[in-house]
Amino acid sequence: MHTSTEGPDRPLDSRTAQSLEDCVIGDVPAWGLPVAHDLVTTLLSQESPFPCSFAVAAAKKHSLRFGFVESARDEGTWGPLVDILRAYLDCYQELGRDTSLVVFFQPDEQQESLQDYFTRFWSVLQFLHEKDPEPWPAETPTDPEDTWWEFSFGGTEIFVVCNTPAHVTRLSRHSPGFMITFQPRWVFDGLAPDSPRGAKAREVIRNRIRRYDGMEPARELGNYGDPANREWRQYFLPDTPQERMTRCPFHAARQRGADGSEQAGGPAAPPLAEEIG
């Protein structure tokens, strides 16, 4: 998401810092709270209303939760993310429907390409999958091309969104650093597209996207369960309407057997040279 121009180096007063720290799961690095504050400032902006009204509501209710990872490039630093996500899944329902876990990776001085961030994003999800202490949910398909597929961790289906510095046209997916947001599918209960509340929410969000991004909503945005929709395509959006993601790199390392039990999957899918084209 397009973050505030105030910048993460702006000093925080003690009250603001404490309010943010109360929403953190895991350790708080020196760079962490200013980055989180920058995001909250963006979400609460009156001059440039952020498209996702649910994220705005969560910021107002202090029901967002934040986690910090030292490096997006170094997989050796990703271990704490497993514990951060597990801790969030233990408490998210207590926070109400307007909640998300936002994980910030320490911003790099050198910006990478959109393709590099795409590869890194799916590497993080693959890492979480392989470290998942729980089996893949029995009712959730393991093939990303299945209409009902959703990323899952800890036995919970989770909608995932990635924001990067390389998103410079689609501003709603821009952030100064690599950032991943996790939303348990539970938060969308009662928002079916054919329900009045769900239809209204989609209309509001799409209109706000048009104003915020200065372009039509991405064609990848669809409704869960729609035969034409693929959830994975919404996780990491291309920066322009001309770009297209070819196929999903995610590989379910553990497949379900015919009896519903977990079995070891085949070797991980080979890396793809071109995912966005």
Side-chain angles (χ1 to χ4, degrees):
M1 56 193 69
H2 184 53
T3 52
S4 161
T5 57
E6 295 180 25
D9 296 328
R10 182 171 176 265
L12 303 181
D13 61 70
S14 58
R15 182 175 179 180
T16 299
Q18 186 60 59
S19 177
L20 289 169
E21 192 162 354
D22 289 344
C23 295
V24 172
I25 298 175
D27 294 334
V28 184
W31 55 268
L33 293 186
V35 171
H37 178 256
D38 196 35
L39 170 63
V40 172
T41 299
T42 296
L43 294 176
L44 298 181
S45 171
Q46 297 294 320
E47 294 76 22
S48 182
F50 189 73
C52 182
S53 55
F54 303 113
V56 174
K60 291 179 178 178
K61 296 176 181 179
H62 302 283
S63 53
L64 289 174
R65 289 297 177 264
F66 306 118
F68 304 103
V69 177
E70 285 297 331
S71 173
R73 299 186 184 190
D74 183 4
E75 185 175 326
T77 70
W78 297 354
L81 179 55
V82 175
D83 293 330
I84 290 169
L85 186 52
R86 289 181 68 182
Y88 175 69
L89 294 178
D90 284 341
C91 71
Y92 73 91
Q93 293 190 12
E94 300 171 8
L95 301 172
R97 301 284 181 184
D98 294 320
T99 183
S100 299
L101 169 66
V102 182
V103 176
F104 302 94
F105 294 74
Q106 184 172 13
D108 291 322
E109 292 184 4
Q110 181 179 354
Q111 180 177 313
E112 299 186 20
S113 69
L114 194 69
Q115 174 61 51
D116 288 336
Y117 287 121
F118 177 87
T119 301
R120 197 172 309 285
F121 167 69
W122 285 105
S123 294
V124 171
L125 292 196
Q126 191 71 45
F127 173 86
L128 284 171
H129 172 61
E130 293 171 1
K131 300 295 183 181
D132 191 350
E134 301 293 332
W136 192 265
E139 69 279 4
T140 306
T142 54
D143 180 3
E145 293 302 324
D146 191 290
T147 300
W148 297 102
W149 181 86
E150 189 81 278
F151 178 73
S152 298
F153 183 89
T156 303
E157 292 183 332
I158 306 171
F159 182 72
V160 191
V161 171
C162 187
N163 296 70
T164 79
H167 283 88
V168 295
T169 302
R170 195 172 302 282
L171 296 179
S172 56
R173 291 296 177 103
H174 175 81
S175 66
F178 186 71
M179 183 179 85
I180 302 178
T181 301
F182 299 87
Q183 292 179 289
R185 176 138 294 279
W186 173 83
V187 307
F188 301 110
D189 286 356
L191 292 171
D194 57 352
S195 69
R197 183 166 176 256
K200 181 62 176 178
R202 284 164 176 79
E203 179 185 5
V204 168
I205 290 173
R206 286 177 175 271
N207 285 336
R208 291 172 71 155
I209 287 175
R210 292 182 179 97
R211 291 191 293 269
Y212 198 85
D213 289 349
M215 67 173 77
E216 284 296 306
R219 58 185 172 180
E220 287 80 7
L221 296 179
N223 298 318
Y224 185 60
D226 184 328
N229 178 62
R230 296 295 180 268
E231 284 291 286
W232 70 269
R233 292 186 180 276
Q234 304 185 59
Y235 290 7
F236 191 109
L237 293 180
D239 195 39
T240 68
Q242 291 74 35
E243 295 167 320
R244 182 72 173 170
M245 295 169 289
T246 57
R247 61 188 176 113
C248 182
F250 181 79
H251 173 74
R254 293 174 293 176
Q255 305 287 346
R256 292 193 304 274
D259 59 355
S261 63
E262 293 286 324
Q263 298 179 346
L272 305 178
E274 293 185 0
E275 298 297 346
I276 302 178

